Amino acid sequence: MVDSKYIEDLRTKSQLGQLREQSKLIKYSGLLFNELKQPIVTLHEITVSLDPDLRRAGYTFTDGCGRVSADVARTLTAGMFPTPSVLQIRAPGIKGILVMDPQLPKKSIRFRRSMQKLDLLNLSDTPLVKTIGVAVIGVSKPTHCTGLNSDPLRRLYLPIRDSRNLFGICDEFSVLPAGKCYINVAASDGSFQTVTGKVALWRNPCYHPGDIVLLEAVENEKLSHLKNVIVFSVLGSRPAADMCAGGDLDGDTFHVVWDNAIV
């Protein structure tokens, strides 16, 4: 049996005691005992900060979405080429995604407050040099969306031609107007194509047609370093991710289709 004093110390030091909802207490306490199949990479002398989220009208437009410098991204992905634009990660008390930002100084990680579920790293908005362990549990590696054929006797999942399953991230530069998005994906020949025009997106499972969102994909040179992701605008009255059945940006993937026969 676990000593009650140990449990109380755990609640106090991790700030679990600040959670009022029992469901969240149970959910986030699991972060203390996660069993990870992926290796934990120890990063030494990393400048880490906890940046504020962009909130408006009761919504968080940057929910779960932080940034990482290019050199740290390469270290965490063991030199994968090209370096993925997005890393889904776990760190002590932290869950969400890190977007590679070539403009960040070397050896930098900028978490968001929405990524911190438990206060185990003593982070603040003032950058601190720390040694932390980070596990990468997923990277931006798109696959085609699939749809069911109409034959009820032989149900086959068929790939949709102009489509991808993509991590959603926020527009850190605020260059996308509301209702717009940016998509730059790998083609079959290894080159990259920027999608333009109408796109439909949803999260799986999708039970209601109201959870399918229509956006316009546009070109933007400032976002051209972001590959195999969908970049959402941080402007407007409500985040596009949230319109997809309450999605966020802490690792949610979105089915994105721009096939003219469908959209």
Side-chain angles (χ1 to χ4, degrees):
M1 186 167 180
V2 180
D3 189 289
S4 60
K5 184 178 183 303
Y6 171 79
I7 296 177
E8 188 58 35
D9 285 346
L10 188 62
R11 288 171 63 97
T12 302
K13 293 178 180 178
S14 65
Q15 292 192 347
L16 280 173
Q18 295 183 8
L19 297 176
R20 301 298 182 187
E21 298 178 36
Q22 193 70 19
S23 59
K24 287 188 176 182
L25 175 63
I26 296 171
K27 176 182 177 181
Y28 294 145
S29 61
L31 290 174
L32 297 171
F33 309 103
N34 269 357
E35 181 181 354
L36 295 173
K37 296 180 180 179
Q38 295 78 8
I40 297 175
V41 180
T42 301
L43 302 171
H44 298 281
E45 297 183 348
I46 299 295
T47 301
V48 186
S49 65
L50 195 63
D51 292 351
D53 283 282
L54 176 57
R55 301 178 186 272
R56 187 169 58 254
Y59 294 104
T60 303
F61 286 75
T62 54
D63 196 358
C65 188
R67 293 182 291 159
V68 62
S69 60
D71 60 314
V72 175
R74 285 192 292 269
T75 299
L76 289 173
T77 56
M80 288 178 62
F81 184 83
T83 305
S85 293
V86 169
L87 288 63
Q88 187 179 14
I89 61 98
R90 296 290 186 270
I94 300 284
K95 68 184 292 283
I97 61 173
L98 293 175
V99 180
M100 185 179 67
D101 184 349
Q103 296 184 9
L104 277 186
K106 289 184 177 181
K107 305 190 75 173
S108 297
I109 295 179
R110 308 285 291 270
F111 295 121
R112 296 275 188 187
R113 290 195 178 278
S114 56
M115 299 175 69
Q116 181 178 259
K117 309 305 180 183
L118 303 172
D119 186 10
L120 302 179
L121 293 175
N122 296 319
L123 299 176
S124 70
D125 55 1
T126 302
L128 301 171
V129 177
K130 287 181 172 287
T131 294
I132 63 172
V134 177
V136 176
I137 64 173
V139 298
S140 49
K141 188 171 66 173
T143 57
H144 278 82
C145 302
T146 57
L148 280 172
N149 66 332
S150 59
D151 187 345
L153 299 179
R154 294 193 303 172
R155 298 178 71 80
L156 301 175
Y157 284 92
L158 305 174
I160 300 174
R161 181 184 57 186
D162 293 329
S163 71
R164 295 292 190 279
N165 296 310
L166 301 172
F167 279 121
I169 67 174
C170 66
D171 170 20
E172 292 282 356
F173 305 102
S174 299
V175 295
L176 292 174
K180 311 295 184 184
C181 65
Y182 178 82
I183 304 168
N184 190 347
V185 294
S188 56
D189 61 0
S191 63
F192 284 89
Q193 66 174 98
T194 300
V195 178
T196 57
K198 290 183 179 180
V199 300
L201 59 134
W202 63 92
R203 293 197 307 139
N204 190 35
C206 181
Y207 297 115
H208 192 278
D211 292 329
I212 301 174
V213 176
L214 295 177
L215 298 176
E216 183 181 358
V218 297
E219 296 186 14
N220 195 294
E221 186 63 29
K222 200 159 187 177
L223 303 173
S224 61
H225 62 285
L226 298 169
K227 315 290 188 183
N228 296 324
V229 296
I230 178 168
V231 186
F232 293 122
S233 172
V234 295
L235 305 178
S237 59
R238 183 180 176 187
D242 186 74
M243 296 180 191
C244 296
D248 55 35
L249 307 178
D250 70 352
D252 287 7
T253 57
F254 298 83
H255 298 314
V256 185
V257 176
W258 58 95
D259 192 320
N260 290 332
I262 299 176
V263 182

